[in-house]
Amino acid sequence: MLFIAISAVFAGTVFGDSSVTSLYSSVTHGEGTYYGENGGGGHCSLNAPIVANAQGLLHVAINSDQYDGSKTCGMCVEITGHGEGLGASPIDGTMLAFVNNECPSCAYGDLDLAESGDGRWEIEWTAVECPTSGNLVYKMVGSSLWYQKIQIRNSAYPIKSVAIIQGGSPKMLERTPDNHFTSAGSAVQAPIELPMELEITDVFGRIVRDTIDELVMDVEIEGSSNFDGSSDSTSAAPETTSSVDSSTEATTSDSTSVSSSTTSATPATTTTTTTTTTAAPTAASTYGSCAGLWDQCGGIGYNGPTDCCDAPGATCVYGGDYWSNCQPTDNPDSNCQKLWEQCGGVNWTGSTCCQIGVCTYDNDWYYQCRPENK
């Protein structure tokens, strides 16, 4: 994991996200199913490397209603089953799991387990604090002074919002379905200046501010604190209890893995970086003559590919004068499945083609439309 000079300057509490926090104070009933080992991948993009607090935990895909645009990514759940259901692999006992994927074919309350198994089993589950040690971790993708896309990792609770501080005021980034926060469509003024000051809020409303001096892509950047009070945080972790049954009420690259971390950190000295604002960056596509899903495909000063590799399943969408990127296109007239939807498996009677990506095998019972690894 890369360490870059980052300093925490503030911690506090604001209003949280009740649509997520309610999952910590209630019991949700649903069905548990299996979709096979997924190697840590998933719609939440919490892979490469697997985030520290997910290592060794069972990974699960949560139904789309409770996935809610990636709001529950990184949430830990305590799942209990009593072996009641149909199939050859009963869910019996209690287990701790980590949400890293979406299950579009699941009903509200359902969880799809990322391990080999068979059947549909009655379960109940409650969101719980994730086991964490050390500081928050940041991973940036395709970012520059003109466009930012960042993911927050190693938090005990899901992240509600991320903002970039400009002129003393937080400019809220936009949440993406793949569990990032982006400046596209936000009030952030481009180009930003370095060091980049972030304001990060978890679903319980606790705030940490960190400063990143250098934009480094696709590696884990260690922050200087966490929400758990181990460093500069002044708010206690929220108390959670199991209570009512909420089953009828729907609310709706890589670097080496972290081998160890400490429970406290000394803020590093912040260095000043001189920035230039005379030209927008040029983004290189890993796809060559076309832009991949979520890659840049237009903008002032951009001279990379402008066609989307997955067209017509993806379209180049304007996100500002300096940024357009390839985003999935939902074609209501298509008989093929959408990205991340089921597209095959034993007893599957729906479509086996994908509007975008490829129909990928997980196990005999479940295939899913996923972006193609070109």
Side-chain angles (χ1 to χ4, degrees):
M1 181 171 63
L2 183 69
F3 182 84
I4 291 179
I6 302 177
S7 60
V9 296
F10 171 83
T13 306
V14 296
F15 292 112
D17 188 336
S18 61
S19 68
V20 179
T21 58
S22 63
L23 300 176
Y24 289 83
S25 58
S26 61
V27 177
T28 301
H29 288 255
E31 288 188 325
T33 51
Y34 301 92
Y35 74 100
E37 299 285 346
N38 72 345
H43 201 182
C44 293
S45 306
L46 290 167
N47 56 340
I50 306 301
V51 291
N53 61 331
Q55 293 181 15
L57 296 183
L58 170 67
H59 295 171
V60 296
I62 195 168
N63 62 87
S64 292
D65 285 341
Q66 292 174 301
Y67 185 83
D68 197 10
S70 77
K71 284 185 178 181
T72 52
C73 284
M75 181 174 72
C76 286
V77 292
E78 188 176 85
I79 307 168
T80 300
H82 303 287
E84 299 173 353
L86 297 173
S89 308
I91 298 176
D92 194 2
T94 299
M95 64 192 80
L96 182 64
F98 181 84
V99 175
N100 79 326
N101 204 354
E102 177 184 8
C103 177
S105 61
C106 291
Y108 182 88
D110 291 354
L111 298 175
D112 207 9
L113 282 57
E115 62 180 6
S116 298
D118 170 68
R120 306 185 72 89
W121 305 92
E122 294 180 17
I123 59 170
E124 59 185 37
W125 57 270
T126 301
V128 297
E129 179 181 356
C130 282
T132 56
S133 64
N135 303 325
L136 291 176
V137 172
Y138 313 130
K139 187 176 181 182
M140 306 199 70
V141 179
S143 298
S144 66
L145 298 179
W146 302 85
Y147 168 80
Q148 298 79 47
K149 184 175 182 180
I150 186 170
Q151 183 181 83
I152 313 300
R153 299 175 163 211
N154 200 38
S155 173
Y157 301 96
I159 301 301
K160 175 190 175 185
S161 64
V162 178
I164 293 177
I165 307 300
Q166 289 187 317
S169 300
K171 307 294 185 182
M172 303 300 294
L173 301 180
E174 296 292 326
R175 177 185 291 277
T176 67
D178 62 342
N179 189 37
H180 289 77
F181 294 87
T182 176
S183 61
S186 75
V188 173
Q189 298 296 310
I192 64 166
E193 294 183 355
L194 295 179
M196 179 176 70
E197 185 179 357
L198 299 176
E199 180 178 280
I200 305 156
T201 307
D202 73 3
V203 293
F204 283 96
R206 300 177 301 164
I207 297 174
V208 168
R209 284 188 179 177
D210 265 8
T211 300
I212 300 178
D213 290 341
E214 182 181 2
L215 304 181
V216 182
M217 302 304 109
D218 300 316
V219 297
E220 287 192 325
I221 303 171
E222 184 178 2
S224 59
S225 69
N226 209 320
F227 296 108
D228 60 8
S230 62
S231 182
D232 293 321
S233 177
T234 59
S235 56
E239 296 180 1
T240 60
T241 58
S242 298
S243 56
V244 299
D245 180 350
S246 63
S247 60
T248 59
E249 184 176 332
T251 57
T252 220
S253 183
D254 294 309
S255 67
T256 57
S257 299
V258 181
S259 58
S260 64
S261 32
T262 59
T263 56
S264 62
T266 302
T269 303
T270 301
T271 59
T272 302
T273 302
T274 303
T275 66
T276 59
T277 59
T278 56
T282 298
S285 171
T286 57
Y287 289 74
S289 61
C290 57
L293 191 62
W294 306 113
D295 282 353
Q296 185 172 4
C297 54
I300 296 175
Y302 172 76
N303 58 10
T306 57
D307 294 326
C308 297
C309 298
D310 295 293
T315 305
C316 190
V317 178
Y318 174 81
D321 290 344
Y322 292 94
W323 178 263
S324 296
N325 71 330
C326 292
Q327 300 182 18
T329 302
D330 179 15
N331 181 3
D333 297 324
S334 174
N335 293 323
C336 295
Q337 299 298 94
K338 301 175 185 177
L339 191 65
W340 305 110
E341 287 186 335
Q342 185 174 359
C343 55
V346 176
N347 296 329
W348 172 253
T349 58
S351 174
T352 58
C353 62
C354 300
Q355 292 188 29
I356 186 172
V358 293
C359 191
T360 304
Y361 173 87
D362 270 319
N363 58 54
D364 291 344
W365 298 87
Y366 192 83
Y367 289 67
Q368 186 181 45
C369 290
R370 296 180 183 172
E372 184 173 5
N373 295 320
K374 297 189 178 181

